[in-house]
């Protein structure tokens, strides 16, 4: 749980997102999490809710909702400004702030922005053992100080051009800067223009500020300085200006960059400590049993029905701890999921990022014991839609998402995790084309076949009867005999259709089939032997597949490369 941000501090930060205070509430109110309108009533043990008043379209609805959320202890209620049109005065409903949001800002974007600010505020430091206090200057204070000295809007950015803080005077900024603040990210297209012009090379070449006139429509000149700790680059400070900075302003920029570098370094230590604790707790959660119940209490997720999403990148990737894109994926996935699911927890384990999410349908929470096809089907549709939204929001083209079944309580989460892992393995095997999301229920058969093939490799077991004689170096060994069998079985014994699939004459096909079945003692009229042959053909396909769908060497193929020849 975040330490929180006072409402009177949060509102100015969100001014660029068209958030304003219609009616101030209690001066010391603090926001610690974002709630949606369907979380009614609010949990009594989690204070500091900022409630998104979706669906409130009239002053009467706002008045009733404001009173209800105030009675439940919410810190703030956000409504569309249009919902208050025609209302001269609303009677204050209690200590809860009433905030308004403009029509152009989406609820999801607002939730994401607030959650990102809460994450930046750090965890609660009210005596918990797993947190580290950070008393460095607030980056927003530094941005506002620089803005006053340099007389221009300021942003503080990391090396990925994500905006960490900005000054409160961005009503004076140009349109590209305003869009960047709304997205909390500088446009990739704009960054490419700057990179092609050598701006970043100049910026990070030395400690002195630079002056830039970006060739971007609507953009005013900038002054920028790098943020560095020794030889490590941490980010940069950018100021919208109308002329090159004076010597005094240049000195202030350099000194401020040093202060921000110290703050970011210490912030990283805090974040590493916090992430380490959370990742250990999520790992315990995914292991199940009594440890998971204790971990769920520490994480604040509760022992409620939940399911697991497994997210991993396709193909061969660098080691996670050495891959900045993987760390960025963990951070972005956490921010997005927690903005739409209170209590969602995310952590990397190896090369996979796991998310534990509440299992819900339109009828409320869903437990694994609820076997009704309609409710389970609805849960799977909602979870797959969520996974598709994750892929679209994060912008990674190489992500795969596996979805496990819901379980009644967190002690049973290992089952959902195994299923989510199995779904991603099935996607990686490449039998599902360009699909990037799958639930375990959709790929169960492929998953079981992959497990069986892997078990054979792990135990160094060869293919046995009935196909073993086809693989022992006999004249019939090879693709022709195997493809003949596969075509016959795939076409349900229709020799003419099977022959067409192989581009051979039906008589030729019948001759091949008759010869190989007689020579190897195969009786394809026996249903058990037909099943055994088809199963072994599928296993051979998996064992011999050279690459996954991206052209990377598959997991099974890497094992095959080091396995005894007898396996094949």
């Amino acid at each position: 749980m975040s330490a929180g941000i006072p409402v009177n501090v949060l509102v100015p930060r969100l001014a660029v997102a068209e958030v304003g205070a219609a009616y101030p509430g209690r001066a010391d109110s603090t926001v610690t999490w974002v709630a949606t309108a369907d979380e009614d009533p609010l949990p009594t043990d989690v204070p500091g809710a900022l409630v998104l008043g979706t669906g409130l379209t009239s002053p009467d609805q706002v008045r009733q909702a404001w009173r209800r959320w105030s009675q439940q202890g919410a810190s703030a209620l956000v409504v569309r400004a249009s919902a208050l049109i025609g209302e001269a005065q609303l009677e204050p409903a209690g200590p809860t702030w009433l905030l308004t949001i403009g029509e152009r800002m989406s609820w999801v974007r607002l939730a994401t922005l607030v959650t990102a600010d809460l994450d930046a505020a750090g965890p609660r430091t009210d005596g918990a053992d797993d947190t580290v206090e950070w008393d460095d200057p607030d980056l927003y204070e530094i941005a506002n100080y620089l803005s006053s000295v340099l007389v221009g809007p300021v942003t503080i950015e990391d090396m990925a051009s994500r905006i960490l803080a900005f000054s409160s005077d961005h009503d004076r900024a140009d349109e590209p800067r305003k869009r960047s603040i709304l997205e909390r990210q500088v446009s990739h297209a704009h960054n490419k223009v700057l990179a092609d012009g050598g701006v970043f090379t100049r910026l990070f070449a030395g400690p002195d500020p630079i002056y830039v006139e970006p060739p971007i429509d609507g953009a005013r000149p900038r002054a920028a300085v790098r943020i560095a700790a020794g030889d490590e680059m941490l980010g940069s400070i950018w100021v919208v200006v109308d002329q090159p900075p004076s010597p005094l302003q240049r000195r202030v920029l350099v000194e401020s960059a040093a202060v921000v570098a110290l703050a970011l370094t210490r912030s990283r230590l805090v974040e590493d400590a916090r992430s380490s604790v959370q990742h250990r707790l999520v790992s315990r959660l995914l292991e199940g049993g009594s440890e998971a119940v204790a971990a769920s209490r520490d994480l604040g997720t509760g022992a409620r029905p939940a399911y697991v999403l497994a997210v991993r990148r396709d193909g061969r990737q660098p080691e996670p701890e050495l891959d900045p894109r993987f760390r960025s994926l963990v951070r972005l996935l956490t921010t997005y999921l927690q903005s739409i699911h209170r209590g969602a927890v995310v952590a990397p384990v190896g090369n996979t990022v796991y998310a534990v999410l509440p299992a819900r349908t339109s009828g409320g929470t869903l437990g694994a014991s609820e076997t009704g096809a309609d409710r389970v089907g609805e849960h799977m549709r909602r979870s797959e839609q969520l996974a598709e939204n994750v892929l679209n929001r994060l912008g990674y083209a190489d992500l795969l998402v596996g979805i496990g079944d819901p379980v009644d309580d967190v002690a049973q989460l290992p089952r959902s995790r195994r299923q989510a892992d199995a779904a991603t393995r099935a996607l990686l095997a490449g039998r599902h084309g360009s699909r990037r999301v799958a639930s375990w229920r959709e790929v169960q058969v492929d998953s079981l076949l992959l497990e069986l093939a892997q078990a054979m490799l792990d135990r160094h077991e060869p293919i046995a009867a009935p196909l073993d004689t086809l693989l022992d170096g006999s004249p019939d060994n090879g693709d022709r005999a195997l493809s003949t069998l596969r075509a016959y079985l795939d076409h349900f014994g229709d020799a003419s259709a099977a022959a067409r699939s192989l581009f051979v004459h039906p008589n030729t096909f019948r001759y091949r089939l008759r010869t190989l079945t007689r020579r190897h003692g195969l009786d394809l009229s026996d249903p058990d032997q037909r099943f055994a042959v088809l199963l072994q053909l599928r296993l051979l396909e998996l064992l011999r597949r050279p690459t996954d769908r991206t052209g990377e060497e598959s997991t099974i193929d890497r094992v095959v490369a080091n396995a005894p020849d007898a396996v094949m």
Side-chain angles (χ1 to χ4, degrees), residues 420-448:
D421 282 335
T424 58
R425 283 196 298 271
L427 291 173
L428 279 168
R431 284 184 52 83
H432 296 275
S434 59
R435 283 192 62 178
R436 300 167 65 198
V437 174
S439 68
W440 170 79
R441 287 174 175 262
E442 295 176 293
V443 296
Q444 182 188 37
V445 173
D446 285 335
S447 170
L448 292 173

Side-chain angles (χ1 to χ4, degrees), residues 475-495:
D476 286 317
N477 190 5
D479 288 342
R480 193 177 73 176
L482 295 175
S483 62
T484 299
L485 280 174
R486 184 62 187 265
Y488 180 78
L489 294 171
D490 283 349
H491 292 84
F492 303 100
D494 185 338

Side-chain angles (χ1 to χ4, degrees), residues 105-126:
M105 173 60 57
S106 73
W107 291 110
V108 171
R109 170 57 61 186
L110 176 63
T112 303
L113 293 176
V114 174
T115 302
D117 280 346
L118 291 174
D119 287 343
R124 296 173 63 174
T125 55
D126 48 5

Side-chain angles (χ1 to χ4, degrees), residues 332-350:
L332 292 172
L333 186 63
T334 301
T335 299
Y336 178 70
L337 290 178
Q338 289 183 348
S339 72
I340 57 177
H341 276 297
R342 182 177 62 84
V345 291
V346 179
V349 179

Side-chain angles (χ1 to χ4, degrees), residues 315-391:
R316 187 177 298 165
Q317 304 296 339
E319 289 298 318
E321 60 271 16
L322 303 177
D323 184 4
R325 293 194 75 224
F326 185 81
R327 294 195 298 271
S328 176
L329 167 63
V330 176
R331 184 166 54 249
L332 292 172
L333 186 63
T334 301
T335 299
Y336 178 70
L337 290 178
Q338 289 183 348
S339 72
I340 57 177
H341 276 297
R342 182 177 62 84
V345 291
V346 179
V349 179
N351 63 355
T352 302
V353 185
Y354 293 100
V356 180
L357 301 167
R360 290 178 176 172
T361 68
S362 58
T365 56
L366 172 70
S369 62
E370 297 184 70
T371 55
D374 289 343
R375 293 203 73 196
V376 172
E378 184 188 350
H379 163 75
M380 300 315 299
R381 286 191 296 273
R382 288 167 67 96
S383 58
E384 287 185 29
Q385 184 59 58
L386 171 65
E388 293 285 357
N389 291 342
V390 165
L391 295 180

